[in-house]
Amino acid sequence: MFASTKSRLTRAALIATTLALSAAVAGCGSGQAGTGGEGAGNTEGLPATVNLLSVRDETGVTAYAGLGAVRGSEVAVNEINSSGFLGQVELVMDRRDAAGTAQTAASLASEGIASKKYSAILGPILAVESRAIAPIAEKSQVPVVFTQSNSEGVLIGDFTFRATAPFPKYYDVMGQQLQKKGITSIGVLFDAQTASYVETATKVIPEWEQKYGIRVVASKEVQSNTQDFTASISSLLAEKPSAVAAYLLGAQHGTFLKQLRQAGFTGPVIAANGAGNGNLAGAGADGVGVSWPTAFDPSAPEASTQDFVKSYRQMFPDKAPNIYEAEGYDAVWWIARALKAANSADPVAVQKGLVEVAATGFDGAQGALRFEGNDLRATPKIVQWDGAAEVASP
């Protein structure tokens, strides 16, 4: 079951939420969560309803990723409820829109925690938002499972988890692929407001010269609202790189690639997960062949991956699942397994359940999931855009 503040809360529910929030704020000086309210108040045995709070970008520049995570989570909730995985318990996910701002994300998380309604939070995809929520979750002892948020400062304690394998930790596979193609130099263009892109551009790729003989000959910063890349492209190409790395957001990819090809560059272009979700469609033929590493390939043969793809297609027949959907799905199944292990909806018990599940791992949309502490690790797969879809890179 899903609820959105935009369309699905009744007047009665709004009044009830307001009253619960007021009461909780008045009495939550200890910072403890989960001691009252529907779903999160029982310390032993699961209640009839368990509530999760989704705080993700449903509008704004990164809505493509936030909504993807929401859709994946919805598929998981539907599976869990229809299969009876938690017995007669109904799992409910309430949706809130962080709208791409850290302040909004933190406020929504604080309100949800104060209501003492939620057993866990499904956190946002932007690291800047996740870093704002993380200390709130730790202080209140309510577990939050992030997706994306690929940078340091997100997992800061026992109550912060991540269902994404941070791509800077496996991005070297792109260097290996470029080395096999005989690439010896690269120009890098990156969004300076996205922490994981900054880390990849300034720390990971510069190490490729020593590892793979690929030297960074030019590096340019842009902003998340940049639409004219001609000056940056001119500066990059002046150094004659044999490949280009572009770390951008959403529709920026199409604009950049068109301008890059118009400037005469014909070499390989590598990217990150932001190139997925159909964001290269706007580039037309200029986007064909752009490649990036990911923890999810919908064509992978693993049974758990194909089960997810089938379930996703049943709920969203007009959309193809990608990494954001897969991570949102795995995050909810991680929590569901934690609820079952803990036999409690109390947030502190759920945190212990999350740790227990992570210790053994499980099979999910991204394949066999293994964890390093509270953080997912994955075997990367390289995909590329063929003009219509993401496909395995040869």
Side-chain angles (χ1 to χ4, degrees), residues 30-33 106 109-110 113 120-121 130-146 153-162 347-348 351 354-355 374-375:
S30 65
Q32 296 295 317
S110 295
I113 289 170
I121 296 172
S130 297
R131 287 197 295 262
I133 287 179
I136 299 171
E138 290 291 342
K139 181 179 180 181
S140 303
Q141 295 190 320
V142 174
V144 54
V145 180
F146 300 106
V154 172
L155 304 188
I156 61 172
D158 294 339
F159 285 81
T160 46
F161 301 80
R162 183 162 47 200
V348 173
Q351 181 272 336
L354 287 165
V355 172
N374 292 358
D375 206 10

Side-chain angles (χ1 to χ4, degrees), residues 5 10 20 35 58 70 101 103 108-109 118 143 147 190 201 278 291 328 330 336 340 343 345 355 392 394:
T5 53
T10 65
T35 58
E58 299 194 20
V70 168
T101 67
Q103 182 177 1
L108 291 171
Y118 300 104
T147 54
F190 63 98
S291 59
D330 288 340
K340 195 168 192 175
N343 191 33
V355 172

